[in-house]
Structures are given as C-alpha cells and as structure tokens.
C-alpha cells in the first residue's frame, strides 16, 4: 500500500500528518501526507539571498559579492521555526520593504560575504550568520535613507575604524598598567632577595640602611602606581568626551540603541575590563608596599620592641589583678 488510502496515517518526524485530522470521505482529493512547504520555502528564500547561482558537475554553488567575494557550495541545511522566521524576515525586508530592493539585497549579500570566514556550505551556515548580517545591512540602509548620500554610508565604515582605534587605546592602557605593575613588583622582589641573601652578620649592622631602602622602594611603588592610574584615567576621560562629541556631530542619525550596539557596548565592555585590571593592580601594589613597610620595621627592630612592650603591658595587667 502506498499510503494514499484512508488508513490512519503515520506520524512523521516531530510534526503530525494533516491526514490524521482532515480525512478524505469521497473522491481523490486528500490533505498532504506531511508538512513540506516550510522546507521548500526555506530553500527558495536561501536561493534569493545570493548574487549568483551556478552548477559545477551537478553541485549547486552560489556567489556572495562582497569584500572578499565568496564562492560557496549551496548544500543542505536544517530548518527550525526560529531560523525559518529569520529567513522570512530577511526576505520580507529585502523584497517587501519598499523601493531600493536592489540596494538592500546588495547590502545583505555584502554583509554575508564579510561574515563568512570559512568554506562552510551556504545553507548550513546561513542560519548562524543571517541575523548579524541583516542587522549590519539594516543600519547601513537606514543611514543611506536618512542622508541620501554615499558619505553617510562611508561614515559607518569610519565608525568601525574609529571603534577599532578606541578599543586599541583602551587595550594599550591596560597593557601599560600591567607592565608597570610587574616592573614595580620585580624591583621589590630584587630588593628583598638581595637583602636576605647577604651574610647575617653584615645584614645586622646595616638594618637601618635596609629599612630606609625598603621604605623608599615602597614609596616608589605607590607613587608609580598612582601616577599610572591617574594618567590612564585622565586619558580615558578625554577619550570619552571626544567620543560623545563625534557621536553627536557625526552619527546623530543613529538611534541610541543602534549606536550602543555598534560602539557603545563594546567600548563599555573594554572599559570594564580595564577597571577590573586596575583594581587588581592597585591591590597587588598595595600588598607589596605594605610588605616592604613591614620588612623595614623588622630591620630596625620595631616589631620586636612593640612585641616586648605588649608583653610588659600584659604582665602588668596580670600583676594588677
């Protein structure tokens, strides 16, 4: 039996057969055996989101015109409700949004080409790359509509370049902070190592000198860390002020959410990383400085004298009782 009769149909895959609910009573017209149009529609939409389609020895391949141009195998891809909704949204945005369908198609395929970093088949990789590519294409298209000039489209590229420069500056500040910290720690370690590697007799006669050296090194570490942190914060403050100015003057056509998605959020995350590194560096520098001060007190017998005094006071207290 070919399954077209009136017997109870099977349940195929995760969805149930429409014939279970729409039975044929008379004639040859029947409900479909299974839901297939979502898969057919997904394949049709995928073929509409490329620039060229061609066959090579029976294998369907596609071209995404961008920088660089991508030549990919079409392949097969799974389709779920979420990815199918994304495909429908992309097709609706390109072909039903109004005029300039060619421009929207060009922008999306260009963004897809930029997002494609490997040779993964188009159908399999589209669902992971389409949302990001459509968001970037949508921002570029809105910039074009509002400004109606190529200069505005170019401004988004300049924004990305400026963002990369700003991220590089914050990263460099973080590296400079950590490099300065490890330099100061190395100075402290060398000083302490030199002191405790000396002969005990010589060291005992030079306790006051080493105590002074320890205090000076501690002061150097605290001062160096304070100057580095202060200069970094001043630089970051100037950068934030300049960023607010060019956001207002050069990218006013972007909404706050769009600007934050492109630049604000990445820069905030980079600043958050710097703040955490700065806090850690301050803690390390403080611990090292306190350790040096304690070592200085030990060299001049301060802690021994303090301990003796506390013992005397305790004995007096016991005697009074």
């Amino acid at each position: 039996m070919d399954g077209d009769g009136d017997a109870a149909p099977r349940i195929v895959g995760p969805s149930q057969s429409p014939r279970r609910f729409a039975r044929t009573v008379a004639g040859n017209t029947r409900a479909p055996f299974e839901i297939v149009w979502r898969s057919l529609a997904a394949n049709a939409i995928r073929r509409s989101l490329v620039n060229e389609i061609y066959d090579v020895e029976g294998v369907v391949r596609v071209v995404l015109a961008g920088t660089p141009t991508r030549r990919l195998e079409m392949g097969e891809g799974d389709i779920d409700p979420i990815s199918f909704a994304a495909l429908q949204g992309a097709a609706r945005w390109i072909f039903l949004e109004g005029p300039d369908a060619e421009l929207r198609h060009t922008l999306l395929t260009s963004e897809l080409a930029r997002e494609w970093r490997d040779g993964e088949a188009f159908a399999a990789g589209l669902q992971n790359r389409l949302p990001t590519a459509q968001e970037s294409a949508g921002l570029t298209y809105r910039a074009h509509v509002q400004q109606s000039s190529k200069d505005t489209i170019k401004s988004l590229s300049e924004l990305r370049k400026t963002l990369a420069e700003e991220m590089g500056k914050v990263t460099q500040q973080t590296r400079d902070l950590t490099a300065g910290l490890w330099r100061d720690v190395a100075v402290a370690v060398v000083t302490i190592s030199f002191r405790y590697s000396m002969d005990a007799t010589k060291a005992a006669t030079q306790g006051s000198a080493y105590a002074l050296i320890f205090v000076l090194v501690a002061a150097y570490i605290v001062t160096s860390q304070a100057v580095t942190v202060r200069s970094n914060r001043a630089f970051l403050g100037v950068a934030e002020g300049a960023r607010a100015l060019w956001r207002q003057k050069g990218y006013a056509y972007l909404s706050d959410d769009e600007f934050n998605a492109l630049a604000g959020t990445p820069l905030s995350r980079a600043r958050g990383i710097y703040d955490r590194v700065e806090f850690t560096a301050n803690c390390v520098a403080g611990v090292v400085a306190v350790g040096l001060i304690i070592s200085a007190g030990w060299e001049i017998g301060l802690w021994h004298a303090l301990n003796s005094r506390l013992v005397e006071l305790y004995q007096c207290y016991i005697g009074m009782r």
Side-chain angles (χ1 to χ4, degrees), residues 173 177 183-184 219-235 274 278 282:
Q173 294 297 314
L177 181 63
R183 179 198 61 213
D184 296 343
Y220 162 76
I221 290 175
V222 172
T223 303
S224 174
Q225 184 68 15
V227 170
T228 301
V229 170
R230 185 177 180 85
S231 61
N232 285 353
R233 288 184 178 179
F235 174 82
Y274 170 82
E278 179 188 293
N282 289 339

Side-chain angles (χ1 to χ4, degrees), residues 118-185:
D118 51 34
E120 185 179 11
F122 182 74
L126 182 61
Q127 61 182 355
N128 294 328
R129 296 174 173 88
L130 181 58
T132 302
Q134 185 177 349
E135 180 181 3
S136 299
L139 290 173
T140 306
Y141 177 72
R142 284 194 289 275
H144 168 79
V145 170
Q146 293 185 26
Q147 296 296 324
S148 301
S149 69
K150 294 182 179 180
D151 292 338
T152 303
I153 299 177
K154 182 181 178 181
S155 69
L156 287 177
S157 298
E158 294 174 350
L159 174 60
R160 290 174 179 170
K161 181 180 178 181
T162 304
L163 173 62
E165 293 175 352
E166 293 290 326
M167 294 285 287
K169 292 176 182 177
V170 176
T171 302
Q172 187 61 44
Q173 294 297 314
T174 305
R175 290 175 179 172
D176 292 344
L177 181 63
T178 54
L181 172 66
W182 294 126
R183 179 198 61 213
D184 296 343
V185 170

